[in-house]
Amino acid sequence: MLENYAYKPLNKASKDIRVLCFEPQETSTTRLKGRIEHISLLKEPVKKYLAISYTWGDATICRTISVDGIDVSVPINSETALRNLHNTAAIRNINQGPDSERQGLASDAVMENGVCRVWLDAVCINQGDLEERAQQVSLMRDIYAKASVVLVWLGEDSAGIAYPAFKSVSELVRVGLNNLLRSRSDDGHGRGEFVTRPEALPETVDRGHIQSLFSLPWFERVWTIQEAILNPKTMVVFGRYFIDYGSIQLASICLAQRHYNDSDRGGSIPGVDLAVFRSKFKSANEDNPNYLVELLERMPFFSATEPRDHVYGALGLISDDTIHSIIDPSYTRPLAEVYARATVAGIVSSGLLRALTKAANVHKRDPDNENDKDMPSWAIKCHWKWSEELPVRIYSYRDVQDCNTDFSYLPGLVEKSGWRVLPMRGVFYGGIISASPVITKEDFGTHRRMVEMIQSLYLETSAALPELENLEIIMRILWALCEARYIKLLLGISDEEQFIEWFQDQFGSFALLLKTIWVTDYADFNMEAPHDMLGALESMLHMGAKGRRFFITHNGILGRGPPTTQAGDLVCELKGGEVPFILREEGEFYRLVGDCFADRLQDPIRFL
C-alpha cells in the first residue's frame, strides 16, 4: 500500500515475492528505512525471510517509512508491527519472566549479512494492482510455509495484559499435558486424551486476561487461519512478550473441551471457538473429499474487509490443483461468481452435493447490501451468517449411501451460463401442498407446548391425508420431526428394520397416549406421567425440527424442510446428493430452497 512508490513487476514464472530488507536501526524511534528485494519461492534454498501475520486496523491512519529512499505512508498497524518485530531483541520469551534479561526472538533465523528480510502484505504486495494482488494471493500457502519464521503480531499491549495472559496460556497447556499423561497411564494402553471432563479453571489461570487475549481482532480475521498454521515455526508476539502458537492452540482446545467457554462457567470467550476451528484446518485433512466445503462452511465466522477473501483465504490450506484452477483468484470478478466457482469446486472435488446443503443454511447479515443481490441460490455465500436455528447433521436424515458422482464436466457448463446456472440431474417425488409455521424452541419449551404442536400437525395431516389411520399419522409425524437417523447412529444400530422396530417400541405407546389426550379432557391430563418419554422426544425435536417447517406433499410424503419452504415447492433427489432437496420452479429454471427430510420416496412423478 505504498502510494508514492513505483513497484517493479514480479516474475510470475519463478513465483517471485517482494521482501522488505532492513538494516539495524540507530534508535528505536528512528524512522524505519528499508529497501525492496525480489526473491523467488522456486529457487532452492529460498532466501531467509520473516513473514508477519497481523490485522490492518484502520487503513486511513498512517505513518511514514522510507523505502528505497522514498518516504511512503503505510497503515499504522503495519508500521507498528514492522518497528516492534524488527527490533526483536527487545522482546522477551514469556518463560523468562517480566524482569529477566532480554532474549532475541527471531533475529538469528532471518538475518543474513546483517540484513533482516520481512514479508508484510501491506508493503510487499502492490495493493492497487488487482491482478498482482490476486496472483500473490494464490502464493499465500508458499509465502507462509516457506518463511524461516512466522510472527503473529497482536499489538502493542497498552493495557499490560500480555504477560499474565501468556502465563495463563502456559498454565492451561501444563494442566492439559498433565491430564494427557495421567489419562494415558490410567488407560493402560498408552492412549489418552489431551482433556477430559468439564471442571473449574485452575486458580493459576486468570479468566479475565484469557478473555482479553482471545478477544483481540487477530483471532477473528479470515487470513490468519492459514497464516498461523502453515508454518511450524510460528510465534505469537504481544507487546514485549512472545509465546509459540502451538501453546495458544492447545490452550484454546483445553478451554473449549473442558467447557471453560460455557455460559454457565463465566460466559463465552470470543475467539476461543475460532482458535479451535484452526486446529481442524490442518492440511492433513485434505484426504477428506469435503475438505473445501467444510472450510467454506466455517468462513462466515471469520471477518474480512473484502468478502472475496472468505474464499481466497481458504485456498492456502488446499493443494488440489483442480480446486485452484476452478476458483482462480481474481478481485475483478463479481462476488456472486467467486462464490459460484467455490461451490462448483467443492462439488467437483468431493463428487457430492454437500455444498448445496450448506448454501441454503445461511441468511443475509444486511438485506440492503449490494453484494448480496442476485446471488445464485445454490452458491455458498461465505459472508452471510449461518442460521443458528437449523440442524447441522443434515447427512444423518437418511442412511448415507454411496452417492459419489463424476462432476468433472460441471465447470465448463456452469461457465457457459455466466456462473449462474447449475445443471443437475434428478427426480421429483412430490409437490408440497402444506407447510407448517417455522418450528421454534418455544414450541417444545414445555411438554404441554410440545404436545400441542404435535396435535396441530396431526390435525393438519389428517385433513390433508384422510385415508391414513390416526396412529400411523402420529408415528409418521414423530419420525419426520425427530433426528431419528442421528439417534440410530448414536445407538450403533446398523440394521434398518431393527431400528424401525426400536423406534416403534419407544414411541408407539407414546403415540397412543397422545391420541388419548386429544380425545379426552386435555386439562385433566397429568403431564408428569410420561415425563421420561416427553424428555427424550424434546431432545430429538431439538436436534431435528427446530428452525424447520413440517410439510405434506400431494402424494402423502411427510417431512421437514428449510424455514422458507412453502406450498408449491417440489421435493426431489439430485444425482450426487446424500439427502433430498426442495426446489422452487421459477420460469424455465429452479431455485434451491434447501435440503430436507422426506419420509417416503418411492415412485418419482417426473425427472429433472
Coordinates of all heavy atoms in Angstrom, one line a residue, residues 225-305:
I225 N -6.1 -17.7 9.5 CA -6.3 -19.1 9.6 C -5.0 -19.8 9.0 O -4.3 -20.6 9.7 CB -7.5 -19.6 8.9 CG1 -8.8 -18.9 9.5 CG2 -7.6 -21.1 8.9 CD1 -10.0 -19.2 8.6
Q226 N -4.7 -19.5 7.7 CA -3.6 -20.1 7.1 C -2.3 -19.6 7.6 O -1.3 -20.3 7.7 CB -3.7 -20.0 5.6 CG -3.8 -18.6 5.1 CD -3.8 -18.5 3.6 OE1 -3.3 -19.4 2.9 NE2 -4.4 -17.5 3.0
E227 N -2.3 -18.3 7.9 CA -1.0 -17.7 8.3 C -0.5 -18.3 9.6 O 0.8 -18.3 9.8 CB -1.2 -16.2 8.5 CG -1.6 -15.4 7.2 CD -2.1 -14.0 7.5 OE1 -2.2 -13.6 8.7 OE2 -2.4 -13.3 6.5
A228 N -1.3 -18.8 10.5 CA -0.9 -19.3 11.7 C -0.5 -20.8 11.7 O 0.3 -21.2 12.5 CB -2.0 -19.1 12.8
I229 N -1.1 -21.5 10.8 CA -0.9 -23.0 10.9 C -0.1 -23.6 9.8 O 0.3 -24.8 9.9 CB -2.3 -23.7 10.9 CG1 -3.0 -23.6 9.6 CG2 -3.2 -23.2 12.0 CD1 -4.2 -24.4 9.5
L230 N 0.3 -22.8 8.8 CA 1.1 -23.4 7.7 C 2.6 -23.6 8.1 O 3.3 -24.4 7.4 CB 1.0 -22.5 6.5 CG -0.4 -22.6 5.7 CD1 -0.4 -21.6 4.6 CD2 -0.6 -24.0 5.2
N231 N 3.1 -22.9 9.0 CA 4.5 -23.0 9.4 C 4.7 -23.4 10.8 O 4.1 -22.8 11.7 CB 5.2 -21.6 9.1 CG 6.7 -21.7 9.1 OD1 7.3 -22.2 10.0 ND2 7.3 -21.1 8.1
P232 N 5.4 -24.5 11.1 CA 5.6 -25.0 12.4 C 6.4 -24.0 13.3 O 6.3 -24.0 14.5 CB 6.4 -26.3 12.3 CG 7.1 -26.2 11.0 CD 6.1 -25.4 10.1
K233 N 7.1 -23.1 12.7 CA 7.9 -22.1 13.4 C 7.1 -20.8 13.5 O 7.4 -19.8 12.8 CB 9.2 -21.8 12.8 CG 10.2 -23.0 12.9 CD 11.5 -22.7 12.2 CE 12.4 -23.9 12.3 NZ 13.7 -23.6 11.6
T234 N 6.0 -20.8 14.2 CA 5.1 -19.6 14.3 C 5.1 -19.2 15.8 O 4.7 -20.0 16.6 CB 3.7 -20.0 13.8 OG1 3.7 -20.3 12.4 CG2 2.7 -18.8 14.0
M235 N 5.4 -17.9 16.0 CA 5.4 -17.3 17.3 C 4.4 -16.2 17.4 O 4.2 -15.5 16.4 CB 6.9 -16.8 17.6 CG 8.0 -17.8 17.4 SD 7.8 -19.3 18.4 CE 8.0 -18.6 20.1
V236 N 3.8 -16.1 18.6 CA 2.8 -15.0 18.8 C 3.5 -13.9 19.7 O 4.0 -14.2 20.8 CB 1.6 -15.6 19.5 CG1 0.6 -14.5 19.7 CG2 1.0 -16.7 18.6
V237 N 3.5 -12.7 19.2 CA 4.1 -11.6 19.9 C 3.0 -10.6 20.3 O 2.2 -10.2 19.5 CB 5.1 -10.9 19.0 CG1 5.9 -9.8 19.8 CG2 6.1 -11.9 18.4
F238 N 3.0 -10.2 21.6 CA 2.1 -9.3 22.1 C 2.9 -8.3 23.0 O 3.4 -8.7 24.0 CB 1.0 -10.0 22.9 CG -0.2 -9.2 23.3 CD1 -0.4 -7.9 22.8 CD2 -1.1 -9.6 24.3 CE1 -1.5 -7.2 23.1 CE2 -2.2 -8.9 24.6 CZ -2.4 -7.7 24.1
G239 N 3.0 -7.1 22.5 CA 3.9 -6.1 23.2 C 5.3 -6.6 23.3 O 5.9 -6.8 22.2
R240 N 5.8 -6.8 24.5 CA 7.2 -7.2 24.6 C 7.4 -8.7 24.9 O 8.5 -9.1 25.1 CB 7.9 -6.4 25.8 CG 7.9 -4.9 25.6 CD 8.6 -4.2 26.7 NE 7.9 -4.5 28.0 CZ 8.5 -4.5 29.2 NH1 9.8 -4.2 29.3 NH2 7.7 -4.7 30.3
Y241 N 6.3 -9.4 24.8 CA 6.4 -10.8 25.1 C 6.0 -11.7 24.0 O 5.2 -11.3 23.1 CB 5.6 -11.1 26.4 CG 6.0 -10.4 27.6 CD1 5.4 -9.2 27.9 CD2 7.1 -10.8 28.3 CE1 5.8 -8.4 29.0 CE2 7.6 -10.1 29.4 CZ 6.9 -8.9 29.8 OH 7.4 -8.2 30.8
F242 N 6.5 -12.9 23.9 CA 6.1 -13.9 22.9 C 5.9 -15.3 23.4 O 6.4 -15.6 24.5 CB 7.1 -13.9 21.7 CG 8.4 -14.5 22.0 CD1 8.6 -15.9 21.7 CD2 9.4 -13.8 22.5 CE1 9.8 -16.5 22.0 CE2 10.7 -14.5 22.8 CZ 10.8 -15.8 22.5
I243 N 5.1 -16.1 22.7 CA 4.9 -17.4 23.0 C 4.7 -18.2 21.7 O 4.3 -17.6 20.7 CB 3.7 -17.6 24.0 CG1 3.6 -18.9 24.6 CG2 2.4 -17.3 23.2 CD1 2.5 -19.0 25.7
D244 N 5.0 -19.5 21.7 CA 4.8 -20.2 20.5 C 3.3 -20.4 20.2 O 2.5 -20.6 21.1 CB 5.5 -21.6 20.5 CG 4.9 -22.5 21.5 OD1 5.1 -22.3 22.7 OD2 4.1 -23.4 21.2
Y245 N 2.9 -20.4 18.9 CA 1.5 -20.5 18.5 C 0.9 -21.9 19.0 O -0.3 -22.0 19.3 CB 1.3 -20.3 17.0 CG -0.2 -20.4 16.7 CD1 -1.0 -19.4 17.0 CD2 -0.7 -21.6 16.0 CE1 -2.4 -19.5 16.7 CE2 -2.0 -21.6 15.7 CZ -2.9 -20.6 16.0 OH -4.2 -20.7 15.7
G246 N 1.7 -22.9 19.0 CA 1.2 -24.2 19.5 C 0.6 -24.2 20.8 O -0.4 -24.8 21.1
S247 N 1.2 -23.3 21.7 CA 0.6 -23.2 23.1 C -0.8 -22.5 23.0 O -1.7 -22.9 23.8 CB 1.6 -22.4 24.0 OG 2.8 -23.1 24.1
I248 N -0.9 -21.5 22.2 CA -2.2 -20.8 22.0 C -3.2 -21.8 21.5 O -4.4 -21.9 22.0 CB -2.1 -19.7 21.0 CG1 -1.1 -18.6 21.5 CG2 -3.4 -19.1 20.7 CD1 -1.7 -17.7 22.6
Q249 N -2.8 -22.7 20.6 CA -3.7 -23.7 20.0 C -4.2 -24.7 21.1 O -5.4 -25.0 21.2 CB -3.0 -24.4 18.9 CG -3.9 -25.2 18.0 CD -4.7 -24.3 17.0 OE1 -4.7 -23.1 17.1 NE2 -5.2 -24.9 16.0
L250 N -3.2 -25.2 21.8 CA -3.6 -26.2 22.8 C -4.4 -25.6 24.0 O -5.3 -26.2 24.5 CB -2.3 -26.8 23.4 CG -1.5 -27.7 22.5 CD1 -0.2 -28.1 23.2 CD2 -2.3 -28.9 22.1
A251 N -4.1 -24.3 24.3 CA -4.9 -23.7 25.4 C -6.4 -23.5 24.9 O -7.3 -23.6 25.7 CB -4.3 -22.3 25.7
S252 N -6.6 -23.1 23.6 CA -7.9 -22.9 23.1 C -8.7 -24.2 23.2 O -9.9 -24.3 23.5 CB -7.9 -22.4 21.7 OG -7.4 -23.3 20.8
I253 N -8.0 -25.3 22.8 CA -8.7 -26.7 22.8 C -9.1 -27.0 24.3 O -10.1 -27.5 24.6 CB -7.8 -27.7 22.2 CG1 -7.6 -27.4 20.7 CG2 -8.4 -29.1 22.4 CD1 -6.6 -28.3 20.1
C254 N -8.1 -26.7 25.2 CA -8.4 -27.0 26.6 C -9.6 -26.2 27.1 O -10.4 -26.8 27.8 CB -7.1 -26.7 27.4 SG -7.1 -27.3 29.1
L255 N -9.6 -25.0 26.7 CA -10.8 -24.1 27.2 C -12.1 -24.6 26.6 O -13.1 -24.7 27.4 CB -10.5 -22.7 26.7 CG -9.5 -21.8 27.4 CD1 -9.2 -20.6 26.6 CD2 -10.1 -21.4 28.8
A256 N -12.1 -25.0 25.4 CA -13.3 -25.5 24.7 C -13.8 -26.8 25.3 O -14.9 -27.0 25.6 CB -13.1 -25.5 23.2
Q257 N -12.9 -27.8 25.3 CA -13.2 -29.2 25.7 C -13.5 -29.4 27.1 O -14.2 -30.3 27.5 CB -12.2 -30.2 25.2 CG -12.1 -30.2 23.6 CD -11.3 -31.4 23.1 OE1 -10.8 -32.2 23.9 NE2 -11.1 -31.5 21.9
R258 N -12.9 -28.5 28.0 CA -13.2 -28.6 29.4 C -14.4 -27.7 29.7 O -14.7 -27.5 30.9 CB -12.0 -28.2 30.2 CG -10.9 -29.4 30.3 CD -9.8 -29.0 31.2 NE -8.8 -30.1 31.2 CZ -8.5 -30.8 32.3 NH1 -9.1 -30.4 33.5 NH2 -7.7 -31.7 32.3
H259 N -15.0 -27.1 28.7 CA -16.2 -26.3 28.9 C -15.9 -25.0 29.7 O -16.8 -24.5 30.3 CB -17.3 -27.1 29.5 CG -17.6 -28.3 28.7 ND1 -18.5 -28.3 27.6 CD2 -17.2 -29.6 28.8 CE1 -18.6 -29.5 27.1 NE2 -17.8 -30.3 27.8
Y260 N -14.7 -24.5 29.7 CA -14.4 -23.3 30.4 C -15.2 -22.1 29.6 O -15.4 -21.1 30.1 CB -12.9 -22.9 30.4 CG -12.1 -23.9 31.1 CD1 -10.8 -24.2 30.7 CD2 -12.6 -24.6 32.3 CE1 -10.0 -25.0 31.4 CE2 -11.8 -25.5 32.9 CZ -10.5 -25.7 32.5 OH -9.7 -26.6 33.2
N261 N -15.5 -22.4 28.3 CA -16.1 -21.4 27.5 C -17.6 -21.4 27.6 O -18.3 -20.6 27.0 CB -15.7 -21.7 26.0 CG -15.9 -20.4 25.1 OD1 -15.7 -19.3 25.6 ND2 -16.3 -20.7 23.9
D262 N -18.2 -22.3 28.4 CA -19.6 -22.3 28.5 C -20.2 -21.1 29.3 O -19.5 -20.6 30.2 CB -20.0 -23.6 29.3 CG -19.8 -24.8 28.4 OD1 -19.5 -24.7 27.2 OD2 -20.0 -26.0 28.9
S263 N -21.4 -20.8 29.0 CA -22.0 -19.6 29.6 C -22.2 -19.8 31.1 O -22.1 -18.8 31.9 CB -23.4 -19.3 29.0 OG -24.2 -20.5 29.1
D264 N -22.4 -21.0 31.6 CA -22.5 -21.3 33.0 C -21.2 -21.3 33.7 O -21.2 -21.6 34.9 CB -23.3 -22.5 33.3 CG -22.7 -23.8 32.7 OD1 -21.7 -23.6 31.9 OD2 -23.1 -24.9 33.0
R265 N -20.1 -21.1 33.0 CA -18.8 -21.1 33.7 C -18.1 -19.7 33.5 O -16.9 -19.6 33.3 CB -17.9 -22.2 33.1 CG -18.4 -23.6 33.5 CD -17.6 -24.7 32.9 NE -18.2 -26.0 33.2 CZ -17.9 -26.7 34.3 NH1 -17.1 -26.2 35.2 NH2 -18.5 -27.8 34.5
G266 N -18.9 -18.7 33.4 CA -18.4 -17.3 33.4 C -18.6 -16.6 32.1 O -18.2 -15.5 31.9
G267 N -19.3 -17.2 31.1 CA -19.6 -16.5 29.9 C -18.7 -17.0 28.7 O -17.6 -17.4 28.9
S268 N -19.2 -16.9 27.5 CA -18.5 -17.2 26.3 C -17.3 -16.3 26.1 O -17.3 -15.1 26.4 CB -19.4 -17.2 25.1 OG -18.7 -17.5 24.0
I269 N -16.2 -16.9 25.7 CA -14.9 -16.1 25.4 C -14.8 -16.0 23.9 O -14.5 -17.0 23.2 CB -13.7 -16.8 26.0 CG1 -13.8 -17.0 27.5 CG2 -12.4 -16.0 25.7 CD1 -12.7 -17.7 28.2
P270 N -15.0 -14.8 23.4 CA -14.9 -14.7 21.9 C -13.5 -15.1 21.4 O -12.5 -14.8 22.1 CB -15.1 -13.2 21.7 CG -15.8 -12.7 22.9 CD -15.4 -13.6 24.0
G271 N -13.4 -15.7 20.3 CA -12.1 -16.1 19.8 C -11.7 -17.5 20.1 O -10.9 -18.1 19.4
V272 N -12.2 -18.1 21.2 CA -11.8 -19.4 21.6 C -12.3 -20.4 20.5 O -11.5 -21.3 20.0 CB -12.3 -19.8 23.0 CG1 -12.1 -21.3 23.2 CG2 -11.6 -19.0 24.0
D273 N -13.6 -20.4 20.2 CA -14.1 -21.3 19.2 C -13.4 -21.1 17.8 O -13.1 -22.1 17.1 CB -15.6 -21.1 19.0 CG -16.4 -21.6 20.2 OD1 -15.8 -22.4 21.0 OD2 -17.5 -21.1 20.4
L274 N -13.0 -19.9 17.5 CA -12.4 -19.7 16.2 C -10.9 -20.3 16.3 O -10.5 -20.8 15.3 CB -12.3 -18.2 15.9 CG -13.6 -17.4 15.8 CD1 -13.4 -16.0 15.4 CD2 -14.6 -18.1 14.9
A275 N -10.3 -20.2 17.4 CA -9.0 -20.8 17.6 C -9.0 -22.3 17.5 O -8.2 -22.9 16.9 CB -8.3 -20.3 18.9
V276 N -10.1 -22.9 18.0 CA -10.3 -24.3 17.9 C -10.6 -24.7 16.5 O -10.1 -25.7 16.0 CB -11.5 -24.8 18.8 CG1 -11.8 -26.2 18.6 CG2 -11.2 -24.5 20.3
F277 N -11.3 -23.9 15.7 CA -11.5 -24.1 14.3 C -10.2 -24.3 13.6 O -10.0 -25.2 12.7 CB -12.3 -23.0 13.6 CG -13.8 -23.0 13.9 CD1 -14.5 -21.9 13.6 CD2 -14.4 -24.1 14.4 CE1 -15.9 -21.9 13.8 CE2 -15.7 -24.2 14.6 CZ -16.5 -23.1 14.3
R278 N -9.2 -23.5 13.9 CA -7.9 -23.6 13.2 C -7.3 -24.9 13.4 O -6.6 -25.4 12.5 CB -7.0 -22.5 13.8 CG -7.3 -21.1 13.4 CD -6.3 -20.1 13.9 NE -6.5 -18.8 13.4 CZ -7.4 -17.9 13.8 NH1 -8.2 -18.2 14.8 NH2 -7.5 -16.7 13.2
S279 N -7.5 -25.6 14.6 CA -6.9 -26.9 14.8 C -7.5 -27.9 13.8 O -6.9 -29.0 13.6 CB -7.1 -27.3 16.2 OG -8.5 -27.6 16.5
K280 N -8.7 -27.6 13.3 CA -9.4 -28.5 12.4 C -9.0 -28.2 10.9 O -9.5 -28.9 10.0 CB -10.9 -28.5 12.6 CG -11.3 -28.8 14.0 CD -12.8 -28.7 14.2 CE -13.2 -29.1 15.6 NZ -14.6 -28.9 15.9
F281 N -8.2 -27.2 10.7 CA -7.9 -26.8 9.3 C -6.6 -27.3 8.9 O -6.1 -26.8 7.9 CB -7.9 -25.2 9.2 CG -9.3 -24.6 9.3 CD1 -9.5 -23.3 9.7 CD2 -10.4 -25.4 9.0 CE1 -10.7 -22.8 9.8 CE2 -11.7 -24.8 9.0 CZ -11.9 -23.5 9.4
K282 N -6.0 -28.2 9.6 CA -4.7 -28.7 9.2 C -4.7 -29.3 7.8 O -5.7 -30.0 7.4 CB -4.2 -29.7 10.2 CG -3.9 -29.2 11.6 CD -2.7 -28.2 11.6 CE -2.4 -27.8 13.0 NZ -1.3 -26.8 13.0
S283 N -3.6 -29.2 7.1 CA -3.6 -29.7 5.7 C -3.8 -31.2 5.6 O -4.1 -31.7 4.6 CB -2.3 -29.2 5.0 OG -1.2 -29.7 5.7
A284 N -3.5 -31.9 6.8 CA -3.7 -33.3 6.8 C -5.1 -33.7 6.5 O -5.4 -34.9 6.1 CB -3.2 -33.9 8.1
N285 N -6.1 -32.8 6.7 CA -7.5 -33.1 6.4 C -7.8 -33.1 5.0 O -8.9 -33.4 4.6 CB -8.4 -32.1 7.1 CG -8.4 -32.3 8.6 OD1 -8.1 -33.4 9.1 ND2 -8.7 -31.2 9.4
E286 N -6.8 -32.9 4.1 CA -7.1 -32.8 2.7 C -7.5 -34.1 2.1 O -8.0 -34.2 1.0 CB -5.9 -32.2 1.9 CG -5.7 -30.7 2.1 CD -4.8 -30.1 1.0 OE1 -5.2 -30.1 -0.1 OE2 -3.7 -29.7 1.4
D287 N -7.3 -35.2 2.8 CA -7.8 -36.5 2.3 C -9.3 -36.6 2.4 O -9.9 -37.6 1.9 CB -7.1 -37.7 3.0 CG -7.2 -37.6 4.5 OD1 -7.8 -36.7 5.0 OD2 -6.7 -38.5 5.2
N288 N -9.9 -35.7 3.1 CA -11.4 -35.6 3.3 C -11.9 -35.0 2.0 O -11.6 -33.8 1.7 CB -11.7 -34.8 4.5 CG -13.2 -34.6 4.6 OD1 -14.0 -35.1 3.8 ND2 -13.6 -33.8 5.6
P289 N -12.7 -35.7 1.2 CA -13.2 -35.1 -0.1 C -14.0 -33.9 0.1 O -14.2 -33.1 -0.8 CB -14.0 -36.3 -0.7 CG -14.4 -37.1 0.5 CD -13.3 -37.1 1.4
N290 N -14.6 -33.7 1.3 CA -15.4 -32.5 1.6 C -14.6 -31.4 2.3 O -15.2 -30.5 2.9 CB -16.7 -32.9 2.4 CG -17.7 -33.6 1.6 OD1 -18.3 -33.1 0.7 ND2 -17.9 -34.9 1.9
Y291 N -13.3 -31.5 2.2 CA -12.5 -30.5 3.0 C -12.8 -29.1 2.6 O -12.9 -28.2 3.4 CB -11.0 -30.9 2.7 CG -10.0 -30.0 3.5 CD1 -10.1 -29.9 4.9 CD2 -9.0 -29.3 2.8 CE1 -9.2 -29.1 5.6 CE2 -8.1 -28.6 3.6 CZ -8.2 -28.5 4.9 OH -7.3 -27.7 5.6
L292 N -12.8 -28.8 1.3 CA -13.1 -27.4 0.8 C -14.5 -26.9 1.4 O -14.6 -25.8 1.9 CB -13.1 -27.3 -0.7 CG -13.5 -26.0 -1.3 CD1 -12.6 -24.8 -0.8 CD2 -13.5 -26.0 -2.8
V293 N -15.5 -27.8 1.2 CA -16.8 -27.4 1.7 C -16.8 -27.1 3.2 O -17.4 -26.2 3.7 CB -17.8 -28.5 1.4 CG1 -19.2 -28.2 2.0 CG2 -17.9 -28.7 -0.1
E294 N -16.1 -27.9 4.0 CA -16.0 -27.7 5.4 C -15.3 -26.4 5.7 O -15.6 -25.7 6.7 CB -15.3 -28.9 6.1 CG -16.2 -30.2 6.1 CD -15.5 -31.3 6.7 OE1 -14.3 -31.2 7.2 OE2 -16.0 -32.5 6.7
L295 N -14.3 -26.1 4.9 CA -13.6 -24.8 5.1 C -14.6 -23.6 4.9 O -14.7 -22.7 5.6 CB -12.4 -24.7 4.2 CG -11.1 -25.5 4.5 CD1 -10.1 -25.3 3.4 CD2 -10.6 -25.1 5.8
L296 N -15.2 -23.7 3.7 CA -16.2 -22.6 3.4 C -17.3 -22.5 4.4 O -17.8 -21.4 4.6 CB -16.7 -22.9 2.0 CG -15.7 -22.9 0.8 CD1 -16.4 -23.3 -0.5 CD2 -15.0 -21.5 0.7
E297 N -17.7 -23.6 5.0 CA -18.8 -23.6 6.0 C -18.4 -22.8 7.2 O -19.2 -22.1 7.8 CB -19.1 -25.1 6.4 CG -20.1 -25.2 7.5 CD -20.3 -26.6 8.0 OE1 -19.5 -27.5 7.5 OE2 -21.2 -26.9 8.8
R298 N -17.1 -22.8 7.5 CA -16.7 -22.1 8.7 C -16.2 -20.6 8.4 O -16.1 -19.8 9.4 CB -15.5 -22.8 9.4 CG -15.9 -24.2 10.0 CD -14.8 -24.8 10.7 NE -15.3 -26.0 11.5 CZ -15.1 -27.2 11.1 NH1 -14.6 -27.5 9.9 NH2 -15.6 -28.2 11.8
M299 N -16.1 -20.3 7.2 CA -15.6 -18.9 6.8 C -16.5 -17.8 7.3 O -16.0 -16.7 7.7 CB -15.4 -18.8 5.3 CG -14.1 -19.6 4.8 SD -12.6 -18.9 5.7 CE -11.5 -20.3 5.4
P300 N -17.9 -18.0 7.3 CA -18.7 -16.9 7.8 C -18.4 -16.5 9.3 O -18.8 -15.4 9.7 CB -20.1 -17.4 7.7 CG -20.0 -18.4 6.6 CD -18.7 -19.1 6.8
F301 N -17.8 -17.3 10.0 CA -17.5 -17.0 11.4 C -16.3 -16.0 11.6 O -16.1 -15.4 12.6 CB -17.2 -18.3 12.2 CG -18.4 -19.2 12.4 CD1 -18.5 -20.3 11.5 CD2 -19.4 -18.9 13.3 CE1 -19.6 -21.1 11.6 CE2 -20.5 -19.8 13.4 CZ -20.6 -20.9 12.6
F302 N -15.5 -15.9 10.5 CA -14.4 -15.0 10.5 C -14.7 -13.7 9.7 O -15.6 -13.7 8.9 CB -13.2 -15.7 9.9 CG -12.7 -16.9 10.6 CD1 -13.3 -18.2 10.5 CD2 -11.7 -16.8 11.6 CE1 -12.8 -19.3 11.2 CE2 -11.2 -17.9 12.3 CZ -11.8 -19.1 12.1
S303 N -13.9 -12.7 10.0 CA -14.1 -11.4 9.4 C -13.2 -11.1 8.3 O -12.0 -11.6 8.3 CB -14.0 -10.3 10.5 OG -12.7 -10.2 11.0
A304 N -13.7 -10.4 7.3 CA -12.8 -9.9 6.2 C -13.4 -8.7 5.6 O -14.6 -8.6 5.4 CB -12.8 -11.0 5.1
T305 N -12.5 -7.7 5.3 CA -13.0 -6.4 4.7 C -13.5 -6.7 3.3 O -14.5 -6.1 2.9 CB -11.9 -5.4 4.8 OG1 -11.4 -5.2 6.1 CG2 -12.3 -4.0 4.2

